[in-house]
Amino acid sequence: MSNYLDGLNPAQYDAVTQTEGPVLVVAGPGSGKTRVLTYRIAHLIEKGVAPWEVLSLTFTNKAAREMKERIEKVVGEKANQIWAGTFHSVFGKILRIEADKINYNSNFTIYDTDDSKSLINSIVKELSLDSSSYPANAVLSRISNAKSNIIPPAKYSNNPVLLKEDADQKRPHLYKIYEMYVSRCRKAGAMDFDDMLYLLYALFIKNEGVLAKYRNKFKYVLVDEFQDTNQLQYGIIKLLTLYENSPCNICVVGDDAQSIYAFRGATIDNILDYEKDFKNKGIKTIKLEQNYRSTHHIVQAANEVISYNSRQLKKSIWTDNNEGTKIRLIRTMTDNEEGKRVADLILEQKNRFHLINREIVILYRTNSQSRVFEEYLRHFNIAYRVFGGMSFYHRKEVKDLLAYLRVVINPNDEEALKRIINYPKRGIGDTTVDKIIALASAEQIPTWEAIRNVEVPQRTKNLLQEFLNMMEIFQQKSQTINAYEVATMVARQSGLLNELKSDTSIEGQGRLENFNSLLDSIKEYVENDAADVDEERNISNYLQTVSLYTDADEEKNETDYVSLMSVHAAKGLEFKSVFVVGMEEKLFPSFMSMNSPQELDEERRLFYVAITRAKQLLTITFSNSRYKFGQLVYNDPSRFISEINESHVESNISSMKTKGVEVESDSFGSSKSGIKGNFKIVKPIVLPKIDISKFSPSSPEKIGAGMKVLHLKFGEGVVKNIEGASDNRIATIHFSELSEENEKKIMLKFSKLQIVE
C-alpha cells in the first residue's frame, strides 16, 4: 500500500491525523475536502479502529458510495464495514433495528413526496376544507419545517405564533391536518423522510439505553457538508457525541461560505456555533485555504465577494495556480440577446480554447431562466442537458398552457384535449374521458363532436357543455387578437393561473415562474420587431414556432453536452468554463431576499458558490431588460458585481462603468464571437436613454410617412414610408441614433411607437 499521507499539504495533513477530540475542518472550495475525509477514515482504520466503530454521514448516496470506494483503495475490504451513508439511510437503518421501541414494525414503509401529498389531499377532503386554500405542497412544506425544528403536533397546536402565521395564510386548520397526518402515517406503519430524523431524535431522548448503545458503538463520527445540516440533524449528532465524559471524537467538515440551503431548513448557525458548543472539549479548528481548482483571478474575486458577509468564519483562500483569464462581464439589452450572446461565446470558447461541451455550464438563479438559453443552443446545434428540472418546454405547467392553446386552434387534438378537459379539476372524470375517446373512435367522428354526443349523466353533460362554451369563446377570440392576448386570456379564464398561484410552496413558486416565463416568451414573440414582417403574430404561428423546440429529436445517448442548471444544483461540481447569467437586482439576489440582511447574505453565498465552480473561464452576464409577467422590466445590475475588484474583470473592450466594474457592452446586431479567430473590437451601438415613465405609445393608425416617432429600443426615428393595408401596415423607419442598421422595417400593429412631431 502506498503511503496515503504523501502529497498532503500541511493543513490537509493535520485534518487527516488529528483523530482525537472534536475537530472543525473549514474547507474552502477546491481545497481537497473529499480527499481529506477519505484519508482521515483510512487513517483511523490503519491505526487499529474497527471499521464498524466509524460513522460517516453525508448528504447524497453518491458521495457516500464514492467515499467508500476511495477508502477501499487504501484499506481494502474493511471499507465495507464502515457505517457510511446519508443521514436518512443510516438513521433509517437504526430505526429498523430499534423499531419496536417506537411502536413500529421493522418493515415500515417510507413515504415519498407523492405519497405524502396524496395523504394530505385525502385529509383535506375528509375535513371538508377548500383544497385551493390547503395545497398539498404548501401543507407538506409546513409540516416538514415543524418536524425539522422539533415541533410535534401537540406543541404546534399550542404555539400562538405558528397558529397566527397559518391564519394569516388563510390556513387556520393546518395544525389539525398535521395531527391527522402523523396519526395516519403511524396507523399505516409508514414514515416520511422527516420522520426518519424526528423519530430517531425522539427515541434517543426518551430511551437512554438505546442512546448509550449507539454512543458506545460509534467511537468516531464524521459529518460532511456540515453547513447544510438542520437543527434536527445537529441535535442527533450532539446527542451521540456531546455528553459527560465523552471523548468527543467528532470531525465536521464544511464551509460556511457555501451554506445555501436555508429554504430546506438548513441553518448556518450550526457551523458558526460549533466551536462554541465544543469549546470545553478542546476543539481544534483546521482551515483548508489552498484552492487547487481555480485561477488566481477567480479565487480573488470569490474572496472579495464573500468578504461583504457579516457573520462568517474568517479565512483567506489562495492558489498557486496561474493568474488565468480575467472574468468576462457582459451587459446585454434584453434577455433574448443574453441567450444569443452566451451561445455565441460557447462556440468561441470551444474553438479558441478547445473545450468540449461537458466542460461548460450555464448557471442561473431560477430554473425558469433556462428557456432562452435552450432556444439558442438548439439554434446553434449545441448539445445540452437541463439538470435539476426538466427541459423548459417539457415542464408540466408549460405543457398545460400549450395544450390549451393547441386545442384552441385544433379542437380535435386528442392528446391535448385529454390533458386539459379536467385540469384544473372541473368534475369531468377519467371514465367520461374514456367514453368520449371510445365514441370518437367507434363512430369515426371528431373528438369535439363526441363530447357533444356522449351518453353521460346530466350533471356531467352540463360540465362538458361549460367546458365547450369556454373553449369556443377562446377559439372565437383567437381570430381577432394576437398570440399573447389569447394566451393571457386562456391562462386566466381556464383557471390555470389561479391554480398555480394557490400553491405558495417553494416548488409552487418555481412552477408559477415557469408559467409566467412562457407568457413572457409569447409577449416577446408578438413584439419582436426583428422577426419576419410577413408573419402574423397569431397563436397558430406561435405554436408552429415553438414546436421546433418541443418536437425536436433529442439525443438520448448524448454524453457530451453543455450543462444547464440552477446554482443550487451545481453545488459540489466544477467546470472549465462557467457562465453565471441573469445577474440583476431582484433576480440575483432574488427579490425574496430583500427582507433581511441574513437572506441577502445567503444570496451572496449562493453567488460565491456559482463563481467558485469555475476552473479556468468565468463569464458573468446581465440584461438591461427582460419580460416579467408580460411587462418589459428594466433592471439594475446585481450589487454583487460591484463587489468584485475591477482588476479581475476583463476591460480591454469598449466598456461602461457599473458601480466600479468594467462591463463589456454588447449591443443589437453586433457579434464578437471571433469563431474564426477574428477578435477585433467592435464599436458598440449607442442606444438612447429613454424615460419609460414619460413614454406613451400612439395609435398605429395615426402614424404616417414623414412623422418623427420614438421607439423604446431604437430611440427617435423618421418614418420614411408605409407599405400594406389595414392591420398589416409595415413602416420603414430611419433611426439616426443607431450606429448601424439605421433603417428598420416594423409592423405597426405589434409595435409601440410614440409620435414626437
Side-chain angles (χ1 to χ4, degrees):
M1 183 183 67
S2 62
N3 191 344
Y4 54 90
L5 296 177
D6 290 347
L8 296 176
N9 67 39
Q12 291 174 334
Y13 182 89
D14 285 347
V16 168
T17 57
Q18 181 65 44
T19 59
E20 309 307 300
V23 177
L24 168 63
V25 179
V26 183
S31 61
K33 169 178 72 74
T34 304
R35 190 183 193 195
V36 163
L37 276 169
T38 302
Y39 288 175
R40 182 179 174 89
I41 296 173
H43 188 64
L44 284 169
I45 295 170
E46 286 293 294
K47 282 180 60 178
V49 175
W52 53 86
E53 294 179 329
V54 178
L55 171 63
S56 177
L57 297 169
T58 65
F59 274 86
T60 66
N61 288 308
K62 181 184 176 191
R65 186 172 59 252
E66 289 178 351
M67 190 175 296
K68 275 191 173 182
E69 289 171 355
R70 292 192 184 194
I71 296 169
E72 190 174 357
K73 290 179 180 177
V74 179
V75 301
E77 293 183 0
K78 292 179 183 177
N80 296 321
Q81 301 174 5
I82 299 165
W83 276 57
T86 65
F87 282 87
H88 289 97
S89 66
V90 172
F91 294 171
K93 185 176 178 179
I94 295 174
L95 284 171
R96 292 197 186 277
I97 295 170
E98 311 296 341
D100 61 310
K101 312 290 194 311
I102 54 173
N103 297 318
Y104 267 86
N105 194 296
S106 62
N107 63 350
F108 59 79
T109 301
I110 298 173
Y111 276 176
D112 63 16
T113 303
D114 287 339
D115 294 323
S116 295
K117 289 194 291 188
S118 178
L119 176 55
I120 287 168
N121 285 329
S122 298
I123 294 170
V124 168
K125 189 175 181 180
E126 289 171 26
L127 293 173
S128 301
L129 300 173
D130 181 4
S131 60
S132 64
S133 299
Y134 293 88
N137 273 326
V139 174
L140 184 59
S141 177
R142 188 71 167 168
I143 292 173
S144 175
N145 191 261
K147 290 178 179 178
S148 296
N149 287 283
I150 321 173
I151 304 172
K155 192 174 177 181
Y156 190 107
S157 62
N158 288 307
N159 188 313
V161 175
L162 296 175
L163 296 179
K164 186 179 184 304
E165 288 174 352
D166 289 341
D168 291 344
Q169 292 292 321
K170 306 279 192 293
R171 298 182 188 125
H173 300 288
L174 202 146
Y175 76 95
K176 185 65 177 176
I177 299 172
Y178 183 17
E179 183 181 274
M180 289 181 66
Y181 176 82
V182 170
S183 175
R184 292 277 286 275
C185 283
R186 182 169 286 278
K187 184 181 177 183
M191 298 182 192
D192 64 18
F193 294 127
D194 295 304
D195 285 332
M196 298 172 78
L197 307 180
Y198 178 78
L199 292 175
L200 183 65
Y201 181 85
L203 173 64
F204 281 172
I205 290 290
K206 295 175 182 177
N207 196 313
E208 291 185 6
V210 173
L211 178 58
K213 172 183 174 181
Y214 289 96
R215 281 174 172 174
N216 185 59
K217 177 176 177 56
F218 299 128
K219 301 286 197 306
Y220 295 85
V221 177
L222 297 92
V223 184
D224 190 16
E225 302 288 1
F226 185 64
Q227 77 280 347
D228 295 332
T229 55
N230 61 27
Q231 184 180 341
L232 191 52
Q233 288 162 331
Y234 189 31
I236 294 171
I237 292 165
K238 284 195 287 188
L239 285 174
L240 285 171
T241 59
L242 189 58
Y243 54 93
E244 191 175 352
N245 298 322
S246 168
C248 279
N249 295 329
I250 175 174
C251 174
V252 302
V253 182
D255 182 7
D256 60 296
Q258 298 184 65
S259 177
I260 58 173
Y261 292 115
F263 68 94
R264 290 185 190 167
T267 172
I268 194 173
D269 291 341
N270 289 350
I271 192 168
L272 294 179
D273 295 341
Y274 181 81
E275 288 179 299
K276 181 178 66 178
D277 293 342
F278 287 86
K279 184 179 179 181
N280 296 330
K281 298 293 184 176
I283 185 170
K284 181 167 183 170
T285 299
I286 301 167
K287 296 179 181 179
L288 306 183
E289 296 176 304
Q290 183 174 0
N291 180 298
Y292 293 93
R293 176 186 299 157
S294 307
T295 63
H296 175 77
H297 282 305
I298 295 169
V299 168
Q300 287 305 113
N303 280 337
E304 289 159 4
V305 168
I306 204 63
S307 70
Y308 284 82
N309 272 11
S310 50
R311 293 184 69 208
Q312 58 177 298
L313 299 172
K314 294 292 184 182
K315 56 187 175 295
S316 181
I317 307 301
W318 59 277
T319 184
D320 273 339
N321 294 339
N322 60 38
E323 192 172 67
T325 305
K326 286 189 177 184
I327 298 164
R328 199 165 188 175
L329 185 59
I330 296 174
R331 157 191 169 268
T332 62
M333 303 310 297
T334 67
D335 52 345
N336 196 56
E337 187 189 358
E338 182 183 37
K340 181 179 183 301
R341 187 75 179 100
V342 168
D344 276 340
L345 274 172
I346 288 173
L347 288 175
E348 174 188 321
Q349 290 182 357
K350 290 175 66 175
N351 181 72
R352 184 179 179 186
F353 301 107
H354 308 292
L355 299 185
I356 55 178
N357 288 331
R358 65 172 177 266
E359 296 172 328
I360 303 169
V361 68
I362 301 172
L363 301 180
Y364 33 72
R365 180 62 182 83
T366 64
N367 284 320
S368 62
Q369 292 171 254
S370 74
R371 174 187 56 81
V372 69
F373 301 102
E374 289 185 61
E375 291 179 4
Y376 279 103
L377 291 172
R378 285 178 184 265
H379 180 74
F380 289 130
N381 200 29
I382 300 171
Y384 71 90
R385 182 176 171 187
V386 179
F387 290 83
M390 292 179 285
S391 176
F392 182 83
Y393 289 104
H394 291 179
R395 293 168 190 165
K396 180 183 180 304
E397 56 276 13
V398 171
K399 293 182 73 171
D400 288 339
L401 180 55
L402 291 177
Y404 266 97
L405 299 180
R406 283 163 55 184
V407 175
V408 167
I409 65 167
N410 178 17
N412 296 316
D413 187 331
E414 188 174 297
E415 290 303 310
L417 187 62
K418 283 170 29 182
R419 187 179 188 96
I420 69 168
I421 194 168
N422 196 41
Y423 188 78
K425 290 185 177 180
R426 50 178 63 91
I428 302 170
D430 292 342
T431 303
T432 301
V433 176
D434 291 341
K435 284 183 178 180
I436 293 168
I437 302 301
L439 178 63
S441 178
E443 300 292 331
Q444 291 295 294
I445 58 176
T447 310
W448 206 250
E449 188 178 336
I451 294 175
R452 298 186 189 280
N453 298 326
V454 68
E455 292 292 333
V456 289
Q458 189 59 45
R459 179 182 174 277
T460 305
K461 206 164 191 67
N462 293 339
L463 293 170
L464 287 171
Q465 191 58 52
E466 288 176 11
F467 172 71
L468 286 172
N469 293 342
M470 177 182 71
M471 296 304 299
E472 284 172 352
I473 291 171
F474 294 161
Q475 289 160 10
Q476 292 166 11
K477 290 284 189 181
S478 70
Q479 303 301 311
T480 58
I481 58 179
N482 65 44
Y484 177 71
E485 291 167 334
V486 174
T488 305
M489 175 181 62
V490 170
R492 291 171 178 164
Q493 296 182 19
S494 68
L496 284 176
L497 192 56
N498 285 337
E499 181 82 4
L500 290 166
K501 284 181 176 179
S502 70
D503 185 355
T504 58
S505 67
I506 295 289
E507 296 85 355
Q509 291 299 304
R511 283 188 284 272
L512 181 59
E513 286 179 3
N514 291 333
F515 192 84
N516 282 315
S517 182
L518 177 63
L519 290 175
D520 291 340
S521 76
I522 300 173
K523 180 78 173 278
E524 191 169 9
Y525 167 79
V526 167
E527 297 188 346
N528 185 3
D529 298 309
D532 187 351
V533 296
D534 295 324
E535 181 182 291
E536 190 176 352
R537 311 303 170 84
N538 58 31
I539 200 66
S540 177
N541 286 332
Y542 172 76
L543 288 173
Q544 286 183 44
T545 301
V546 83
S547 70
L548 298 173
Y549 303 120
T550 57
D551 297 332
D553 293 330
E554 295 185 8
E555 289 287 344
K556 302 299 182 184
N557 299 317
E558 182 65 64
T559 57
D560 185 30
Y561 45 74
V562 173
S563 298
L564 280 72
M565 63 184 75
S566 70
V567 182
H568 284 102
K571 179 97 178 304
L573 303 178
E574 61 181 32
F575 299 86
K576 283 187 178 179
S577 174
V578 171
F579 291 83
V580 187
V581 300
M583 287 302 301
E584 300 136 33
E585 287 290 296
K586 298 184 179 179
L587 181 56
F588 201 169
S590 161
F591 74 95
M592 295 177 69
S593 69
M594 305 298 178
N595 299 324
S596 71
Q598 292 78 20
E599 291 176 350
L600 196 58
D601 279 359
E602 173 131 343
E603 289 288 299
R604 185 175 286 107
R605 292 194 294 270
L606 192 60
F607 182 52
Y608 177 85
V609 167
I611 61 182
T612 55
R613 300 311 94 197
K615 297 167 71 175
Q616 297 174 7
L617 301 169
L618 176 61
T619 307
I620 299 171
T621 70
F622 68 94
S623 171
N624 274 11
S625 64
R626 66 178 66 241
Y627 278 99
K628 291 183 181 177
F629 309 106
Q631 299 294 317
L632 191 63
V633 178
Y634 291 84
N635 313 302
D636 292 323
S638 170
R639 69 189 69 194
F640 301 150
I641 293 175
S642 65
E643 296 169 359
I644 301 174
N645 190 290
E646 62 182 21
S647 64
H648 304 300
V649 180
E650 187 178 72
S651 59
N652 62 333
I653 310 179
S654 179
S655 61
M656 67 173 195
K657 276 285 187 179
T658 304
K659 298 181 181 178
V661 295
E662 296 290 329
V663 182
E664 179 185 338
S665 182
D666 221 31
S667 48
F668 292 95
S670 66
S671 175
K672 298 187 285 294
S673 67
I675 296 173
K676 297 180 179 178
N678 179 12
F679 303 102
K680 71 175 183 177
I681 298 170
V682 178
K683 185 180 179 182
I685 299 170
V686 180
L687 292 165
K689 295 180 180 179
I690 299 169
D691 187 349
I692 192 170
S693 63
K694 296 180 181 179
F695 182 83
S696 178
S698 305
S699 172
E701 293 80 16
K702 296 180 179 179
I703 296 172
M707 288 183 174
K708 187 178 285 186
V709 294
L710 184 66
H711 189 281
L712 275 175
K713 289 181 184 176
F714 307 130
E716 276 193 6
V718 177
V719 181
K720 306 298 289 184
N721 61 68
I722 295 179
E723 310 167 65
S726 64
D727 284 350
N728 295 316
R729 299 168 75 221
I730 299 168
T732 302
I733 306 175
H734 180 84
F735 295 98
S736 57
E737 296 181 71
L738 296 182
S739 61
E740 59 182 48
E741 298 183 17
N742 304 82
E743 285 196 359
K744 294 190 176 288
K745 288 185 180 289
I746 293 176
M747 184 173 281
L748 295 177
K749 179 181 177 181
F750 300 119
S751 300
K752 289 183 173 65
L753 295 167
Q754 179 181 334
I755 299 173
V756 179
E757 42 179 84

